Amino acid sequence: MRVDLNSDLGERFGRYKLGLDEEVMNYITSANVATGWHAGDPIVMRKTVRLAKEKGVAVGAHPGYPDLMGFGRRYMKLTPEEARNYVLYQIGALYAFTRAEGLELQHVKPHGALYNALVKEEELARAVIEGIADFDKKLIFVTLSGSKPAQIAEEMGVKVAHEVFADRAYNPDGTLVPRSKPGAVIHDKEEIAERVVSMVKDGGVRAINGEWIELRADTICVHGDNPKAVEIARQVREALEREGVRIVPMGEFLR
């Protein structure tokens, strides 16, 4: 069995620092690099890409809403044309730095409120996927496991990585419990590791109400802004490797 470990990185801006990028990068295989609209700036983007190159970590774009003040976690109403071009623009920004560092772009993972909106709005999802395909149909689209956007992308001939979350609780319908709700974020390292192993080996996990839900796990998100991010990333990786799971970039097995 093979699985990818990803984390949202480069989510800094100017003198403001968020996340433990350098440390988390030691345990992941794919980095979702902020592209400047919810976080990140040209200096941060290049440093993050360069760090990924040094660590042997694959790089993907992490585009979001144009909402620096709200960290991209506030919903915005976009037209399909806006969504398509906003995503294309942000991919292009990161591509400049991956090309400068001699790296290939591997994937695109929408950020925050945009990521969640795609699950509910089919027209928006299609527009975002079109923006990805406009740049390069070989890019992997990272989205919530088993969701409608995954189906749309596959129908459009775009490769999909079904994503699961190490430290987030699930609703019975397979969506994530909103961060505003109690129990939405799991903090116990051992519980997180057990859930991840279940997702990969058993193909599912218990929802917040105890129901079993099936999930396909191509890539596992380990959040880099959690105070215990480094320890969680290490424990998740070690737990999977003990079970004989190979941790490799998604581009190596999603072809």
Side-chain angles (χ1 to χ4, degrees):
M1 289 183 290
R2 295 175 292 183
V3 73
D4 173 72
L5 290 183
N6 79 75
S7 190
D8 305 339
L9 303 177
E11 293 185 318
R12 307 172 179 191
F13 185 80
R15 298 180 64 183
Y16 298 95
K17 180 179 178 179
L18 178 67
L20 302 165
D21 292 12
E22 294 83 357
E23 296 87 348
V24 170
M25 199 87 79
N26 291 319
Y27 300 102
I28 64 171
T29 44
S30 294
N32 317 309
V33 181
T35 50
W37 279 20
H38 76 277
D41 62 34
I43 304 301
V44 171
M45 290 165 72
R46 184 150 199 175
K47 284 182 177 179
T48 308
V49 169
R50 188 172 286 162
L51 179 63
K53 182 179 181 180
E54 292 172 1
K55 301 283 188 179
V57 172
V59 173
H62 196 37
Y65 286 129
D67 181 27
L68 196 60
M69 291 292 288
F71 196 65
R73 288 184 175 164
R74 299 182 293 191
Y75 174 78
M76 299 178 70
K77 182 66 176 176
L78 302 181
T79 67
E81 181 182 23
E82 287 172 332
R84 182 173 184 170
N85 289 311
Y86 286 2
V87 167
L88 179 60
Y89 179 92
Q90 292 178 79
I91 295 171
L94 185 65
Y95 173 71
F97 296 106
T98 56
R99 179 165 180 173
E101 295 296 331
L103 292 179
E104 296 284 337
L105 263 182
Q106 174 187 249
H107 65 280
V108 177
K109 174 187 169 181
H111 165 79
L114 179 60
Y115 183 102
N116 293 328
L118 301 188
V119 177
K120 301 175 181 178
E121 300 181 29
E122 184 172 333
E123 187 177 45
L124 180 67
R126 191 172 299 278
V128 166
I129 297 162
E130 285 172 346
I132 295 169
D134 285 342
F135 186 87
D136 188 347
K137 258 196 168 183
K138 292 182 290 186
L139 289 173
I140 300 169
F141 170 54
V142 179
T143 190
L144 189 66
S145 179
S147 63
K148 186 64 175 180
Q151 180 184 332
I152 293 171
E154 288 165 351
E155 291 170 354
M156 293 172 60
V158 174
K159 288 183 289 186
V160 176
H162 290 254
E163 181 178 39
V164 298
F165 289 79
D167 61 351
R168 293 293 301 277
Y170 281 82
N171 292 310
D173 64 357
T175 59
L176 299 177
V177 175
R179 287 177 178 266
S180 58
K181 298 288 183 67
V185 180
I186 301 164
H187 299 285
D188 184 87
K189 299 189 295 293
E190 292 185 2
E191 181 183 356
I192 290 169
E194 290 173 4
R195 286 168 64 86
V196 166
V197 169
S198 175
M199 290 173 179
V200 175
K201 295 201 71 176
D202 302 327
V205 73
R206 294 289 173 189
I208 196 165
N209 68 347
E211 289 184 31
W212 177 260
I213 53 173
E214 295 185 355
L215 296 170
R216 171 178 159 183
D218 295 321
T219 184
I220 300 162
C221 180
V222 181
H223 285 111
D225 58 349
N226 186 313
K228 300 178 181 178
V230 179
E231 183 61 24
I232 289 172
R234 182 190 66 78
Q235 193 147 340
V236 164
R237 180 161 188 148
E238 290 179 355
L240 289 168
E241 290 177 335
R242 281 196 301 269
E243 296 293 326
V245 179
R246 291 182 58 220
I247 314 299
V248 296
M250 64 183 83
E252 291 192 15
F253 59 90
L254 296 175
R255 301 186 183 278

